[in-house]
Structures are given as structure tokens and as C-alpha cells.
């Protein structure tokens, strides 16, 4: 049988979590994803895993030594014997990997341990491409807003106040539209990305463009806790540049190449742009003060309480 609920795979080994994550990566590689995409997709199936590098570490340093060796074992047909030898798999665990690696199209008409139909992909796998498209649209809107702000500053310097007012109104409308797109993305993800509904579908050709396959920036929601923790460390209020420096230090292992690339329009790093939008959302939610001096980010009592609650959940 082919497992699609990876966290429920009943491995007997002393390192079951590592085996589950390796299984997940192999599952997506069997579906035609390259190793990097397979690792990122596997990460999304383990909510407690903070970043994709944790999954990659299970496949490389703790198992194959490096990614090149892992991929070479997969393509050469050595993967099963290496898994059995390195992890000392018993017959039960060996059979689980045997069925996955020997199946051309995993997820055929088999059943998992909860007697639900096995599938080629979860609905979330297909919906992820739409989520990626949302990210690209949001980035384009944010670039337009940034350019509008730049034009407004130039108009103000030249005392063209009528143009300043026009650009300000346009920027307000763009920001409202951006909020609607962001809300739609959240609605899409809550309806489909996290949806447990499963369905079968014949093998499809990927229609993603090269731009879509570049990867996603760190999401705004993922920056909330790092920003609030940075502000707490800095005494509750600090200049944005100091907050971002603390956030970058705390997230240096999580920020990927896409995060660290610059936006063509403004030269701002993508993750910093996301952080500014995260701050904007937190001001709307009352977690950060709306009346703090320009360039200063400040915690509110609600923000402190929310962070304390989140810290408690994370510790648990």
C-alpha cells in the first residue's frame, strides 16, 4: 500500500520521523518533482517542521551525506538497500519502502490504515500552484504601490500637490485591492491547501511557468512572531531597521534564496517587503501601534498578550 498521510506511517524503526520525512520526499520524487520541490512539498505535510532544510537534513546529512548522493541512489535503484542498511529496517519497514519505490504511479487503488482511498495527490498538491500564482500577483501589486509611493515623493518635492493627492488616492485604492487579493489567498488556502479531501486524477503535465517554479517567499503570517519577538527583545518599540536586523538574525536558517533576492522595482529584499506588509496587517489587527512615530514599530498590550499565547502553544 502507498501512504499519503505521511505522519501516520507506522514505521517500527527507532527513527520513525526521519523515515516518514524521507518517505514523503521519495513520494513526490516518484510523481516527477525535482528533489528541491519534493523537499518543499514534503515540508508542507509536516506542520511542526519549521523549514524545508529540516527535511533536507533528514535526507542528506543524517542519511545519504549529501543531496547528490541521495538523488544518485534514487536513480540507480540503490535507495531501498541503502535505507535498509543505514536505518537497519526490519521486514515491515522495508516492505513500506519497497511498495513505494516499486510503484510507477504511487497512490493507485489501495487503502491506508484508516481505510480511506489512496490517491495520486492530495487536493492541496494541485491547489499549491494557485497559491503560488497568488504570491506572484501580490508581489506585482506591491511593486506597483512602491512605485506609486516613489512617484508621490517626487511630486511632493516639486510641489505638485494636486498630483500628490491623485497618487495618494490611487495608492489607497491599490492597497485596498491588495488586501482583497490577500484575503482571497487566505480563503483559497483555508479551503483547499489544508483540505483533507482526497481525489484521484490521471497523471498531468505541469503547466507552471519558469517564474512560478522559482519558489515562494516567506509568508507574512510567518513573520508575525519573529517581528513581535524582536520588538520584545528591543524593549517594545524600535526603529524598523533594528527590528528587521533582529528578525533576519533569528530567521537566517529559514530565509531562502527567493527571500533574499531583491524586488526589481525598488531593490528591497523580498522578505523585508513581506515584513513591512506583515507590520501593516498587525497594525490593522491591533498587535502593533498605529500612532507610533514614523519609522518606529511598537508593540501594543494586545500584541504582547498574543505573543505570550503563541509562545505557550509553540512550547507545548
Amino acid at each position: 500500500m502507498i501512504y499519503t498521510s505521511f505522519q501516520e506511517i507506522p514505521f517500527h524503526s527507532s527513527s520513525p520521523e526521519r523515515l516518514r520525512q524521507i518517505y514523503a520526499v521519495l513520494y513526490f520524487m516518484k510523481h516527477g518533482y525535482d528533489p528541491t520541490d519534493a523537499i518543499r512539498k514534503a515540508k508542507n505535510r509536516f506542520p511542526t517542521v519549521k523549514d524545508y532544510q529540516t527535511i533536507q537534513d533528514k535526507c542528506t546529512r543524517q542519511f545519504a551525506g549529501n543531496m547528490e548522493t541521495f538523488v544518485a541512489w534514487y536513480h540507480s535503484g540503490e535507495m531501498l538497500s541503502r535505507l535498509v542498511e543505514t536505518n537497519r529496517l526490519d521486514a515491515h519497514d522495508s516492505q513500506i519502502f519497497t511498495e513505494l519505490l516499486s510503484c510507477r504511479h504511487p497512490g493507485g487503488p489501495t487503502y491506508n490504515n484508516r481505510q480511506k482511498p489512496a490517491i495520486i495527490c492530495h487536493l492541496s498538491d494541485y491547489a499549491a500552484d494557485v497559491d503560488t500564482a497568488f504570491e506572484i500577483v501580490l508581489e506585482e501589486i506591491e511593486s506597483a504601490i512602491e512605485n506609486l509611493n516613489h512617484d508621490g515623493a517626487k511630486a511632493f518635492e516639486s510641489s505638485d500637490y494636486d498630483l500628490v493627492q491623485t497618487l495618494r488616492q490611487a495608492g489607497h485604492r491599490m492597497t485596498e485591492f491588495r488586501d482583497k487579493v490577500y484575503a482571497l489567498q487566505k480563503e483559497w488556502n483555508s479551503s483547499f491547501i489544508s483540505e483533507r479531501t482526497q481525489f484521484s486524477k490521471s497523471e498531468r503535465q505541469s503547466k507552471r511557468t519558469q517564474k512560478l517554479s522559482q519558489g515562494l517567499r516567506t509568508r507574512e503570517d510567518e513573520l508575525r512572531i519573529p517581528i513581535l519577538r524582536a520588538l520584545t527583545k528591543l524593549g517594545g518599540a524600535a526603529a524598523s531597521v533594528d527590528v528587521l536586523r533582529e528578525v533576519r538574525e533569528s530567521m537566517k536558517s529559514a530565509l531562502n534564496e527567493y527571500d533574499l533576492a531583491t524586488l526589481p522595482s525598488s531593490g528591497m529584499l523580498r522578505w523585508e517587503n513581506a515584513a513591512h506588509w506583515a507590520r501593516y496587517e498587525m497594525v490593522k489587527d491591533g498587535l502593533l501601534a498605529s500612532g507610533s512615530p514614523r519609522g518606529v514599530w511598537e508593540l501594543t498590550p494586545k500584541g504582547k498578550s498574543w505573543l505570550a499565547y503563541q509562545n505557550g502553544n509553540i512550547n507545548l
Side-chain angles (χ1 to χ4, degrees), residues 203-246:
E203 187 176 10
R204 64 190 174 116
Q205 295 293 326
S206 174
K207 296 181 180 179
R208 291 181 299 172
T209 64
Q210 182 177 4
K211 189 171 185 180
L212 277 170
S213 64
Q214 289 177 346
L216 294 176
R217 63 182 176 181
T218 297
R219 298 180 183 278
E220 294 164 26
D221 287 349
E222 296 177 44
L223 290 163
R224 287 193 169 207
I225 290 177
I227 288 173
L228 295 178
R229 284 178 173 172
L231 280 167
T232 300
K233 182 178 179 180
L234 294 169
S240 59
V241 64
D242 295 326
V243 177
L244 293 176
R245 183 174 60 249
E246 289 290 337

Side-chain angles (χ1 to χ4, degrees), residues 286-305:
L287 304 180
L288 296 182
S290 60
S292 55
R294 182 176 178 81
V296 174
W297 296 3
E298 182 180 356
L299 267 173
T300 64
K302 181 179 178 180
K304 294 176 183 177
S305 299

Side-chain angles (χ1 to χ4, degrees), residues 146-161 163-164 167:
E146 182 69 22
N147 288 331
L148 207 63
N149 290 336
H150 179 71
D151 292 343
K154 290 175 63 176
F156 186 83
E157 290 174 0
S158 61
S159 301
D160 190 344
Y161 300 118
L163 180 58
V164 170
L167 293 175

Side-chain angles (χ1 to χ4, degrees), residues 72-313:
W73 287 349
Y74 174 79
H75 289 297
S76 67
E78 296 179 66
M79 182 60 71
L80 180 60
S81 61
R82 296 289 186 174
L83 283 164
V84 172
E85 177 184 357
T86 303
N87 297 281
R88 299 179 180 178
L89 302 186
D90 60 15
H92 173 271
D93 290 1
S94 177
Q95 183 62 25
I96 291 176
F97 278 107
T98 298
E99 292 178 359
L100 172 67
L101 293 169
S102 62
C103 184
R104 183 178 180 183
H105 300 300
T110 57
Y111 293 87
N112 65 20
N113 59 341
R114 291 194 176 186
Q115 297 300 306
K116 292 181 180 179
I119 55 160
I120 291 179
C121 263
H122 280 74
L123 178 59
S124 59
D125 295 333
Y126 295 90
D129 287 348
V130 177
D131 179 52
T132 306
F134 270 119
E135 284 292 305
I136 292 172
V137 171
L138 282 169
E139 184 171 299
E140 293 298 331
I141 296 173
E142 290 161 11
S143 293
I145 294 172
E146 182 69 22
N147 288 331
L148 207 63
N149 290 336
H150 179 71
D151 292 343
K154 290 175 63 176
F156 186 83
E157 290 174 0
S158 61
S159 301
D160 190 344
Y161 300 118
D162 289 338
L163 180 58
V164 170
Q165 183 63 20
T166 299
L167 293 175
R168 180 178 296 169
Q169 292 173 353
H172 180 68
R173 292 197 304 273
M174 281 189 186
T175 300
E176 287 184 334
F177 185 81
R178 186 264 179 194
D179 290 347
K180 291 178 182 178
V181 175
Y182 186 55
L184 283 172
Q185 182 190 31
K186 286 187 171 183
E187 181 181 348
W188 175 268
N189 289 344
S190 65
S191 298
F192 298 107
I193 297 295
S194 60
E195 177 64 58
R196 297 300 180 184
T197 302
Q198 301 174 340
F199 68 98
S200 61
K201 189 174 182 179
S202 59
E203 187 176 10
R204 64 190 174 116
Q205 295 293 326
S206 174
K207 296 181 180 179
R208 291 181 299 172
T209 64
Q210 182 177 4
K211 189 171 185 180
L212 277 170
S213 64
Q214 289 177 346
L216 294 176
R217 63 182 176 181
T218 297
R219 298 180 183 278
E220 294 164 26
D221 287 349
E222 296 177 44
L223 290 163
R224 287 193 169 207
I225 290 177
I227 288 173
L228 295 178
R229 284 178 173 172
L231 280 167
T232 300
K233 182 178 179 180
L234 294 169
S240 59
V241 64
D242 295 326
V243 177
L244 293 176
R245 183 174 60 249
E246 289 290 337
V247 171
R248 177 163 185 165
E249 180 62 26
S250 68
M251 297 189 68
K252 59 185 178 183
S253 63
L255 297 175
N256 55 42
E257 293 182 5
Y258 190 77
D259 290 318
L260 298 174
T262 56
L263 290 169
S265 60
S266 64
M268 180 183 291
L269 296 178
R270 278 192 172 92
W271 80 266
E272 290 185 349
N273 180 62
H276 280 281
W277 281 105
R279 186 256 177 185
Y280 166 76
E281 294 290 336
M282 286 192 286
V283 168
K284 290 203 304 180
D285 293 342
L287 304 180
L288 296 182
S290 60
S292 55
R294 182 176 178 81
V296 174
W297 296 3
E298 182 180 356
L299 267 173
T300 64
K302 181 179 178 180
K304 294 176 183 177
S305 299
W306 186 87
L307 178 61
Y309 175 77
Q310 297 299 324
N311 284 338
N313 283 343

